[in-house]
Amino acid sequence: MSAQLLEKLARPELLAMQGYSSARMEAGPAPIVLNANENPWPPACDCDPDWRINRYPPPQPVTVVQRLAQIYAIPEQRLLITRGSDEGIDLLVRAFCRAGVDSISYCPPTFGMYAVSAAIQDARLVAIPLLQDNQWALDLEALVRTRAKLVFLCRPNNPTGHMLSIDTLQQLCKRLTDQALVIVDEAYIEFADQPDALTELARFPNLVVLRTLSKAWGMAGLRCGAVIAAPEIIRLLRKIMAPYPLSIATQELVGQALSEANVAQMRQRVRLLRQERERINHRLSGMACIHTCWPSQANFLLLKVADAGHLCSAAAHAGILIRNQSSQPGLADCVRISIGTPAENNSLLAFLATYQEPA
């Protein structure tokens, strides 16, 4: 990204801001650490003593940055490790949107945190609904006309499960080159059978990609994600994020979970979840209580039923939690079901096979 474009889009007061300089940023490792007002003794607890939890962690986990840069095949300076992709969304809105002045655009039905983060920042929300009658296609012309600073896209989209094509993404990035950042949330990309957006980063400096370890990687409880963007954007976001966003325990556990053995296990489990997704889609499509079961590129399915509230309540009574999506635009009486283990999926299918719609 050029300095001119960054100056045009970013909040000017943040560009001029120095940012907090933590003790860990100002100095490297040393045998005697007396610069951060820490307690010199760790507490008595059941954890590896080498974690030294009485000390502040690195602002960015070096091992995790190096490993994810390798896995994603990107330079390390393009990568910012965050507390899940939620923090990445919040940082981007705060960095580029002035309260009461700037706007973001998003495409409902989609992930709710884009709108929440914008509302917290008092950024104007411009909703450009997906075209349901055209297989949830993007309204490209309407998006370009919004003149928003940030355009949020979810790929595959949550909760519809459909996939934005690389060709459409390229068109949007090109047309918004000097106008906006195009932020592609690829939380579910590992479950898809199409290329990710990382291949387009070098071509489009206004492209930002969000990734998470919560879904395919199975680390939702550790809260670890990433913003992948031009180095200038990464440096700006580092200015405004918390000094020590990830705990030592999180950094250590994520580092262990990114081993070659665990990468192989993740890929095997993703293959199984994709197989289960197709099996369940096939079974549900033949059930009278399921009016529509949309195809999905993620680890969930979106269903249209007669009464979403009744179905969710009956499922909960049977010990199965599914999510009512009726509050989303265009999704009246729709539910989203996540793909579980084969045994969990069999229980869901057995419940649906005996479920009685309300009279």
Side-chain angles (χ1 to χ4, degrees):
M1 169 175 277
S2 67
Q4 292 82 359
L5 182 57
L6 188 68
E7 290 177 6
K8 177 181 178 180
L9 296 180
R11 290 169 55 190
E13 65 272 26
L14 297 187
L15 290 173
M17 186 182 77
Q18 179 67 34
Y20 178 72
S21 180
S22 70
R24 289 292 175 270
M25 291 179 181
E26 294 174 355
I32 299 175
V33 180
L34 302 176
N35 69 336
N37 300 338
E38 302 153 325
N39 190 317
W41 298 286
C45 64
D46 187 19
C47 69
D48 190 328
D50 289 339
W51 289 6
R52 303 178 71 201
I53 63 172
N54 58 309
R55 302 297 183 183
Y56 286 111
Q60 285 287 285
V62 176
T63 301
V64 175
V65 169
Q66 292 174 345
R67 186 71 178 113
L68 282 179
Q70 180 186 42
I71 290 170
Y72 295 151
I74 57 168
E76 293 178 20
Q77 60 265 35
R78 284 186 174 271
L79 188 62
L80 182 72
I81 306 301
T82 57
R83 289 169 287 195
S85 52
D86 294 336
E87 184 178 32
I89 295 166
D90 180 65
L91 288 171
L92 286 160
V93 173
R94 286 196 286 125
F96 289 92
C97 292
R98 294 164 294 175
V101 177
D102 298 315
S103 63
I104 77 155
S105 59
Y106 69 116
C107 302
T110 193
F111 184 45
M113 282 306 298
Y114 314 136
V116 169
S117 292
I120 291 171
Q121 181 62 15
D122 192 23
R124 188 166 62 94
L125 285 164
V126 184
I128 306 296
L130 296 169
L131 305 176
Q132 182 175 349
D133 294 338
N134 189 20
Q135 300 179 334
W136 305 109
L138 202 65
D139 191 339
L140 187 63
E141 296 303 322
L143 267 180
V144 172
R145 289 196 300 268
T146 64
R147 308 297 296 179
K149 270 194 176 180
L150 305 180
V151 176
F152 281 96
L153 304 171
C154 193
R155 182 179 186 269
N157 188 52
N158 173 18
T160 63
H162 81 284
M163 190 75 167
L164 176 72
S165 72
I166 284 290
D167 179 66
T168 302
L169 177 61
Q170 291 171 342
Q171 292 181 52
L172 186 63
C173 288
K174 185 175 182 179
R175 295 185 63 177
L176 296 178
T177 296
D178 298 319
Q179 177 181 324
L181 296 185
V182 178
I183 302 161
V184 182
D185 184 349
E186 292 195 322
Y188 300 94
I189 192 64
E190 289 87 356
F191 300 102
D193 59 11
Q194 297 183 33
D196 62 38
L198 296 178
T199 55
E200 305 302 313
L201 282 169
R203 182 178 175 187
F204 298 106
N206 63 328
L207 175 63
V208 178
V209 179
L210 301 177
R211 299 294 281 269
T212 183
L213 302 183
S214 295
K215 309 300 181 182
W217 291 91
M219 294 186 239
L222 290 181
R223 309 306 304 128
C224 187
V227 178
I228 307 167
E232 296 85 354
I233 295 175
I234 298 302
R235 288 195 292 269
L236 177 63
L237 298 184
R238 285 199 67 171
K239 268 189 182 185
I240 64 171
M241 78 184 307
Y244 307 109
L246 270 68
S247 71
I248 288 175
T250 295
Q251 296 187 20
E252 292 286 344
L253 292 171
V254 170
Q256 293 173 26
L258 293 175
S259 69
E260 290 291 347
N262 283 333
V263 170
Q265 182 188 70
M266 180 274 288
R267 290 173 177 159
Q268 188 276 329
R269 288 175 172 173
V270 164
R271 285 192 294 270
L272 175 59
L273 288 168
R274 290 174 63 175
Q275 291 168 5
E276 284 292 289
R277 179 186 69 200
E278 300 313 310
R279 177 176 78 94
I280 297 168
N281 192 321
H282 177 73
R283 291 281 302 277
L284 294 181
S285 297
M287 292 186 177
C289 65
I290 307 300
H291 297 189
T292 306
C293 182
W294 281 278
S296 173
Q297 289 279 299
N299 67 331
F300 54 80
L301 291 167
L302 182 68
L303 314 177
K304 176 78 170 181
V305 298
D307 188 326
H310 185 274
L311 176 60
C312 291
S313 178
H317 185 72
I320 301 170
L321 297 181
I322 57 179
R323 190 156 190 182
N324 192 338
Q325 295 290 324
S326 298
S327 63
Q328 291 251 38
L331 297 187
D333 286 315
C334 288
V335 299
R336 190 193 68 194
I337 60 168
S338 303
I339 308 302
T341 66
E344 291 171 336
N345 299 333
N346 288 338
S347 295
L348 172 71
L349 292 171
F351 158 74
L352 290 172
T354 60
Y355 168 71
Q356 297 292 319
E357 292 184 349

